[in-house]
Amino acid sequence: MKFIEEIVVDAFLPTFRALLAEDLRDRGFTQSEVAEALGISQSAVSKYAHGEVATNERVATDPRVVDLVSRVGDGLATGDMTPVQALVEAEVLIRQLEEGDLLSDLHEAEMPELASHDGFRSIHDPEGRLRTVEQVRSSVRRGLRMLTNTSGFAGLIPNVGSNLVESLPDADSVDDVAAIPGRIFDVKGQATVPGEPEFGVSGHVAGVLLSARAAGADVNAALNIVYDAGVIEDLEAAGYECIEFDPDAPTDPVREHLTGRDLPETFVVYQSGGYGIEPITYILGPDAPAVADVVRVLF
């Protein structure tokens, strides 16, 4: 009797780790950094590097495995992906391959009796909340990198600070929206990001996003920047619809001004200020990188 988990341990894991170790080394990781990233010893990394660990050719050449190695390697190298997300992504692929797929085939080769049965059925949910949460945080990181790499972005940060936020697909509160704790500030001409994306740390920009969603807008991300007439003119010239709202409105002003509109995938709302209220521009779109990309038209 051989469990499919043994196939994972004996065939998938050593092959996946060997490929990922090679990918990370190609990206400039030291042996100790590879060991830390994979959660294994340096001696194990050395064995992978010298081909002293048996790998499975079918696993190594499967395009889904090759793609996962590339995505995880890139995510770990850039910092966009945490070890938690890397683990979840690998687990999801393992469960997919176990269900009537590559690992199931390898399992049946070891246990021919399984051919007459339905075999293993995956119980791992690829749309699970943990995976989605990590994907949203990763998306915010990518958007942040785009912003901080955009020369001049610091000059668009308002006095209250900027924030880049992205929500879970079914978000209905700020706890379902990832953002930067403490906001992004201009420190001597440099956009300064104080921490990693977290959920539930933005009340203001997350609130604008949730109001837009409540009005029927199909958006998941938002970014606030300074308001001035020139910014709005440039955004309109680039083809973005810009909608003004009254921040002093007694009800939810963003929701009130957006309800019933046929809104594009990415658009802008802004307010030109009020008593004790700093004027602000908000860019809303499908995800954090898409929103961050809009900023580039201002330079």
Side-chain angles (χ1 to χ4, degrees):
M1 182 171 62
K2 194 177 188 72
F3 291 97
I4 195 168
E5 287 80 4
E6 294 179 76
I7 303 299
V8 174
V9 171
D10 296 338
F12 182 91
L13 290 182
T15 304
F16 177 73
R17 282 174 171 158
L19 292 174
L20 185 53
E22 181 180 7
D23 182 276
L24 292 175
R25 289 302 299 272
D26 289 343
R27 295 176 189 274
F29 275 47
T30 64
Q31 188 166 293
S32 62
E33 288 171 337
V34 172
E36 182 178 358
L38 300 186
I40 58 178
S41 66
Q42 290 191 48
S43 62
V45 173
S46 178
K47 289 180 180 179
Y48 286 129
H50 291 89
E52 297 175 10
V53 176
T55 58
N56 184 281
E57 182 65 14
R58 289 187 62 186
V59 173
T61 57
D62 187 282
R64 293 160 297 181
V65 176
V66 174
D67 175 68
L68 178 61
V69 168
S70 178
R71 286 191 293 112
V72 170
D74 182 65
L76 293 177
T78 61
D80 288 343
M81 186 180 292
T82 65
V84 171
Q85 186 184 357
L87 174 64
V88 172
E89 296 293 338
E91 287 282 4
V92 168
L93 179 58
I94 289 170
R95 298 301 172 260
Q96 291 172 344
L97 297 181
E98 284 177 336
E99 186 177 357
D101 209 310
L102 174 61
L103 295 180
S104 179
D105 292 343
L106 295 176
H107 193 203
E108 287 185 4
E110 296 286 339
M111 291 283 294
E113 301 91 334
L114 290 172
S116 60
H117 300 278
D118 291 335
F120 182 87
R121 185 169 183 80
S122 176
I123 59 172
H124 194 284
D125 182 7
E127 303 302 323
R129 182 179 175 86
L130 176 59
R131 186 187 188 198
T132 304
V133 162
E134 289 296 328
Q135 288 175 328
V136 167
R137 293 179 65 199
S138 179
S139 181
V140 173
R141 290 189 196 97
R142 289 195 299 274
L144 281 170
R145 192 168 67 252
M146 292 170 64
L147 290 176
T148 56
N149 287 341
T150 299
S151 177
F153 169 65
L156 293 176
I157 299 174
N159 292 330
V160 295
S162 286
N163 216 326
L164 177 64
V165 307
E166 183 170 328
S167 68
L168 297 172
D170 57 353
D172 57 15
S173 76
V174 296
D175 290 334
D176 300 321
V177 181
I180 307 306
R183 304 182 186 178
I184 309 165
F185 284 98
D186 174 6
V187 178
K188 297 181 179 180
Q190 182 71 37
T192 302
V193 181
E196 281 284 290
E198 296 179 17
F199 282 82
V201 296
S202 170
H204 182 66
V205 182
V208 170
L209 173 62
L210 292 170
S211 293
R213 288 168 57 87
D218 187 16
V219 290
N220 296 310
L223 168 71
N224 68 315
I225 59 174
V226 296
Y227 162 83
D228 68 46
V231 167
I232 299 303
E233 289 174 3
D234 288 345
L235 290 170
E236 289 179 331
Y240 295 104
E241 182 174 353
C242 297
I243 304 164
E244 184 174 9
F245 67 93
D246 180 5
D248 290 318
T251 57
D252 185 334
V254 173
R255 182 172 182 175
E256 178 181 317
H257 283 75
L258 296 184
T259 298
R261 289 178 178 266
D262 183 15
L263 296 165
E265 181 182 60
T266 303
F267 61 93
V268 175
V269 296
Y270 67 95
Q271 49 89 357
S272 55
Y275 182 72
I277 300 175
E278 182 182 6
I280 298 287
T281 302
Y282 303 89
I283 304 168
L284 298 105
D287 54 45
V291 166
D293 191 54
V294 175
V295 171
R296 297 180 180 183
V297 307
L298 299 173
F299 299 100

